[in-house]
Amino acid sequence: MGVQTHKTFCRFCHANCAMEVDVEGGKVIEVRGDPDDPAYGGYTCVKGRELPDSHNSDNRLHHSLVRNDAGEFVETPMPEALAHVASELRRIIDTHGPHSVAVFMGSGGFQNSAAMAASLSFAQAVGSRNFYTSVTLDQPAKVFTTARYGKWMAGPNTFSESDVALFIGNNPIVSHYAPVGGVPPFSPSRRIRDQKAKGLKLIVADPRESDVARLADIYLPVKPGEDPAMLAGMLNVIISEGLYDRNFVAAHVDGFDDLAEAVKAFPPEVAAERAGLDRDQLVAAARMFATGSKGCATTGTGPEMAGNGTLTEYLVTCLNTICARFKQEGEKAAIPGVFSPYQTARRAQVAPPVPMFGAEGMPKSRFRGLGHLGWEMPCNVLADEILTPGDGQVRALISVGGNPVVGFPDQAKMVRALDDLEMFVQIDPWMSASARRADVVLAPSQCLEREDITNLSEWWHEEPYARYVEPVVAPPGDVIDEYEMFWTLAHHLGITMQLMGGPLPMDRKPTKEEFLDLAVAGSLMKPSDVRRDCQANGGAAVIYPEVHPRVEALDEGEFHRFDLAAGAMPAEIGKYADNPASREGFDFRLISRRSKTRFNSIGHPLKKLQNKTTTNPAYIHPDDIAALGLEEGGLVAITSPHATIHGVVKASDKVRRGLVSMAHAYGDADATKKDVREKGSSTNRLVSEVVDYDPITGQSLQSAIPVKLESA
């Protein structure tokens, strides 16, 4: 039949870029950006363009694997493998109770539009409190704690209308992720340049001069972990100079006076010294942000991973709130969210409070006073929940789309925990570091072999853009969709999975369309209707301007205000001011960075990406390399208070002195100095989840790690 071309979208990362896929003889042979797509305009990244390798790789698993009594993996038909898992889960639940089963969904799981709903509903049907996702590994504060200060129902200013933007530790040119109000991850470099041509003023704060920092009007090379000093200093300037929106604060904000008093501890000269910045640049940045008419301050994962995550996100919330960076009555709502459930009126007011943690009845962990954030337990406690005997001890773990061996803090401890489980199930297309330690490896279909909707990427679509795509090739061997795996396990266990729209049928396997319609019930458009419209549009995306909500007037009968003094805030500013971070003998800080050829732990098995990046180099300023007697291309020993790893030295004058910058989520558990050039090292090995963690979210210190460097 020759080459057939299909329209679809990429599911390598959260951006979901529109693609054209060439198929010949039932195999994917090439992918490229779809030039006709109204949102993406032909954009793809180097990772997404390797989907053919991902689907066709010789290393890919086509069959599930089950360990036999001799400890060897045996290829096993999927129905038999799932029946075995269900039997073991039934034994474990009957022996230890429902909380003995845990489910972890990593970044890869989010790329399947059904996997989040399927894995969560399965854990809830089992009756387990132990549901975990990668959100609590890198950015729980922005997801779960900012809502306690108030949430504007109409949403924030969008990037396309902004005349000022502040990016804090966010490099969207490489990391295709930003909170709402930041640059959408669709051709982000072009979007930033286009917006700057319209007059956008861009401020970037980052310990290293990142790709996006080179486009900034003001670049603030903030010390890692000292973002609160910089933000408090900016708030000090804005408040003392009266640059905030007085009318908005008077109408909608409580706790402003407490905030104003707290940031007095950080006048510009004090803030600049602690943050390692030029005083005048900090003041200029504060004035530039406050005097813009529209725009947002947004953060990446780095500032949260560097300690003080909740305080940092609180101060960012304060910046946006007192400068009134929100959609107003009569405007289009910020992000329509075609597939988002929980649809409520978009009004020009603060939403009713929704407790996201610590409320009566919310499940608690057995460790460190931590508990559920929204619907999930923080990853910080999983290793201890597995290793510590007692009521509620986790004895079985199902991991979907994640790689706990390289993704969790304290790699050695997590490995001990995985090895201690009675049943470890890894859903994985590869023999990853985690799969090699599993009792059962279930082989899933990949993105171009299944139906999906754009419910993940729609958090950045400023217009009501939606897609429902079909499989473009048949899955090889004996692989199935992750939602089918969880449904089958639930069917064997005799439990019922509940979704937003009600229970799944458990007497027959639902179709993907049925599952998605139930999963996002109450959304602006049903997936089944979008499917019909996309089919009529040749498989391309559809924009639904008629469903885009307009911002309604304030409802006096349901009036709420921002509360900038909620919880322990802003007293935490004073505690931070009185306790500068220091660690004697560890004079360097290791900061995390993103790799253009990886998405967290995803991408390592792909040959072309391997050829581009074989390791995660240790980027160090040339003057530090000379002072330490290191050599470009040589090895450096990086030691924290907890462990030592090795890195390949790479000089970079974009990294300020006193830092070493490395990508995280590298390195197998057995990676050593001998194979660091081929495998890389896990920076997570350097940290402990019981030391230096956020007391609310459990977020472990995974950037700004105190280290010392020595030649290896």
Side-chain angles (χ1 to χ4, degrees):
M1 293 180 62
V3 176
Q4 296 177 303
T5 300
H6 305 268
K7 289 184 180 292
T8 187
F9 65 86
C10 179
R11 278 143 282 173
F12 196 105
C13 83
H14 295 61
N16 289 173
C17 296
M19 279 185 163
E20 292 181 337
V21 180
D22 290 341
V23 176
E24 185 175 24
K27 291 183 65 175
V28 177
I29 59 173
E30 184 180 355
V31 300
R32 58 190 167 273
D34 183 352
D36 299 323
D37 187 87
Y40 296 87
Y43 175 77
T44 58
C45 78
V46 64
K47 298 183 287 289
R49 292 193 291 273
E50 296 309 317
L51 284 183
D53 187 16
S54 180
H55 284 66
N56 303 326
S57 173
D58 293 337
N59 297 327
R60 182 183 173 187
L61 296 177
H62 291 182
H63 302 275
S64 296
L65 304 172
V66 177
R67 282 193 195 275
N68 61 20
D69 292 340
E72 300 166 332
F73 278 123
V74 178
E75 282 193 5
T76 306
M78 181 66 74
E80 186 178 325
L82 289 169
H84 169 70
V85 172
S87 175
E88 285 296 289
L89 290 178
R90 171 51 62 202
R91 175 186 64 80
I92 290 169
I93 292 168
D94 289 347
T95 304
H96 304 288
H99 297 306
S100 63
V101 176
V103 178
F104 169 66
M105 200 184 82
S107 298
F110 282 99
Q111 313 317 314
N112 182 334
S113 56
M116 175 67 177
S119 55
L120 175 59
S121 62
F122 175 80
Q124 292 175 335
V126 167
S128 175
R129 62 175 174 257
N130 285 302
F131 178 73
Y132 303 81
T133 81
S134 54
V135 168
T136 63
L137 288 173
D138 56 17
Q139 53 188 335
K142 68 167 60 70
V143 176
F144 294 114
T145 68
T146 53
R148 68 173 170 170
Y149 314 116
K151 182 177 181 180
W152 193 250
M153 295 175 69
N157 297 154
T158 54
F159 185 76
S160 65
E161 65 183 341
S162 297
D163 55 16
V164 66
L166 170 57
F167 296 164
I168 306 153
N170 186 16
N171 187 15
I173 294 176
V174 172
S175 177
H176 288 48
Y177 179 87
V180 176
V183 59
F186 335 129
S187 190
S189 179
R190 176 178 58 81
R191 288 179 180 273
I192 294 170
R193 294 174 193 275
D194 288 350
Q195 202 64 21
K196 281 179 65 66
K198 297 177 184 177
L200 173 80
K201 298 299 183 184
L202 177 62
I203 309 160
V204 175
D206 200 299
R208 67 184 183 91
E209 189 180 341
S210 62
D211 306 70
V212 74
R214 293 165 208 158
L215 303 178
D217 294 279
I218 297 178
Y219 166 52
L220 301 172
V222 60
K223 285 182 179 179
E226 302 296 357
D227 305 277
M230 176 191 70
L231 295 166
M234 292 179 69
L235 284 162
N236 179 293
V237 172
I238 291 168
I239 293 172
S240 64
E241 296 186 4
L243 302 177
Y244 61 95
D245 190 320
R246 295 173 181 271
N247 291 333
F248 185 85
V249 168
H252 297 286
V253 180
D254 289 332
F256 175 80
D257 291 341
D258 297 316
L259 172 68
E261 183 63 29
V263 297
K264 287 180 180 178
F266 285 97
E269 57 276 7
V270 173
E273 181 177 1
R274 177 152 179 183
L277 300 173
D278 177 82
R279 176 199 179 280
D280 292 343
Q281 284 287 86
L282 185 147
V283 171
R287 291 170 178 166
M288 180 178 285
F289 181 78
T291 55
S293 61
K294 292 194 175 193
C296 287
T298 57
T299 62
T301 57
E304 281 204 46
M305 293 169 68
N308 295 302
T310 297
L311 177 59
T312 297
E313 294 298 340
Y314 164 75
L315 292 168
V316 170
T317 295
C318 290
L319 271 176
N320 289 326
T321 300
I322 71 171
C323 293
R325 296 307 165 82
F326 305 111
K327 289 284 193 175
Q328 299 299 326
E329 181 181 349
E331 296 181 314
K332 289 182 179 180
I335 302 294
V338 176
F339 292 126
S340 299
Y342 314 107
Q343 292 285 351
T344 58
R346 314 290 181 93
R347 296 195 179 98
Q349 65 185 95
V350 179
V354 178
M356 297 298 283
F357 62 91
E360 185 176 353
M362 293 186 77
K364 299 288 288 186
S365 168
R366 296 184 292 156
F367 302 97
R368 293 181 279 290
L370 298 171
H372 261 205
L373 300 170
W375 48 85
E376 62 186 279
M377 198 67 78
C379 287
N380 176 289
V381 301
L382 180 55
D384 280 330
E385 290 284 8
I386 295 170
L387 290 169
T388 307
D391 185 34
Q393 181 183 12
V394 170
R395 297 284 76 213
L397 172 65
I398 302 174
S399 167
V400 52
N403 195 350
V405 168
V406 299
F408 276 59
D410 196 338
Q411 183 182 59
K413 183 177 180 180
M414 178 50 65
V415 166
R416 292 199 308 275
L418 297 177
D419 291 347
D420 188 67
L421 289 163
E422 295 181 33
M423 168 63 64
F424 175 29
V425 180
Q426 176 75 8
I427 303 175
D428 208 320
W430 318 99
M431 286 306 293
S432 65
S434 295
R436 286 195 294 274
R437 311 196 84 85
D439 298 292
V440 177
V441 183
L442 299 176
S445 55
Q446 290 204 41
C447 65
L448 299 180
E449 301 156 358
R450 65 174 189 250
E451 303 163 32
D452 270 316
I453 58 175
T454 48
N455 55 338
L456 179 63
S457 60
E458 69 175 17
W459 295 105
W460 301 288
H461 282 288
E462 299 174 7
E463 298 296 326
Y465 174 107
R467 299 193 76 161
Y468 192 122
V469 293
E470 312 293 336
V472 301
V473 290
D478 185 22
V479 303
I480 61 174
D481 194 313
E482 286 96 331
Y483 95 90
E484 297 178 275
M485 297 179 187
F486 283 108
W487 182 90
T488 303
L489 292 175
H491 177 74
H492 280 304
L493 291 170
I495 56 179
T496 299
M497 293 168 62
Q498 296 277 344
L499 299 179
M500 180 61 60
L504 281 173
M506 299 307 299
D507 56 343
R508 61 172 180 84
K509 186 188 298 181
T511 65
K512 185 80 172 268
E513 180 184 285
E514 288 179 285
F515 185 98
L516 293 172
D517 273 354
L518 281 172
V520 301
S523 57
L524 295 176
M525 295 291 297
K526 290 176 63 176
S528 54
D529 291 337
V530 174
R531 183 182 203 178
R532 176 202 63 215
D533 293 341
C534 287
Q535 289 173 341
N537 198 30
V542 179
I543 294 178
Y544 297 94
E546 69 277 10
V547 305
H548 198 149
R550 289 274 175 180
V551 181
E552 302 173 20
L554 180 150
D555 179 2
E556 294 284 358
E558 188 66 45
F559 186 72
H560 302 276
R561 294 168 66 87
F562 288 103
D563 184 2
L564 301 185
M569 304 301 179
E572 290 296 317
I573 299 173
K575 292 182 182 178
Y576 165 79
D578 293 338
N579 293 285
S582 63
R583 203 60 78 82
E584 187 175 350
F586 299 91
D587 298 330
F588 278 73
R589 294 291 180 271
L590 184 147
I591 61 172
S592 63
R593 64 189 291 136
R594 297 288 185 176
S595 168
K596 288 184 178 181
T597 58
R598 303 289 189 272
F599 171 47
N600 295 335
S601 64
I602 303 171
H604 296 273
L606 304 183
K607 291 180 180 178
K608 290 183 181 178
L609 295 183
Q610 283 179 343
N611 292 337
K612 292 177 184 293
T613 313
T614 61
T615 186
N616 53 336
Y619 291 88
I620 306 171
H621 193 280
D623 292 347
D624 284 334
I625 292 176
L628 292 166
L630 304 175
E631 294 183 1
E632 172 83 9
L635 298 186
V636 58
I638 304 165
T639 301
S640 77
H642 306 288
T644 296
I645 64 171
H646 294 86
V648 180
V649 176
K650 189 171 182 62
S652 174
D653 59 5
K654 305 302 182 185
V655 177
R656 64 181 296 159
R657 293 202 65 180
L659 303 183
V660 52
S661 175
M662 296 180 71
H664 64 286
Y666 268 77
D668 203 338
D670 59 0
T672 66
K673 174 182 175 181
K674 293 180 180 179
D675 54 16
V676 66
R677 298 182 189 276
E678 292 76 38
K679 289 186 176 180
S681 289
S682 173
T683 59
N684 290 339
R685 200 179 295 182
L686 296 171
V687 300
S688 166
E689 84 279 28
V690 301
V691 179
D692 296 329
Y693 65 91
D694 189 294
I696 294 175
T697 67
Q699 168 70 59
S700 296
L701 184 73
Q702 295 185 82
S703 188
I705 303 167
V707 295
K708 57 185 175 182
L709 308 183
E710 297 174 301
S711 176

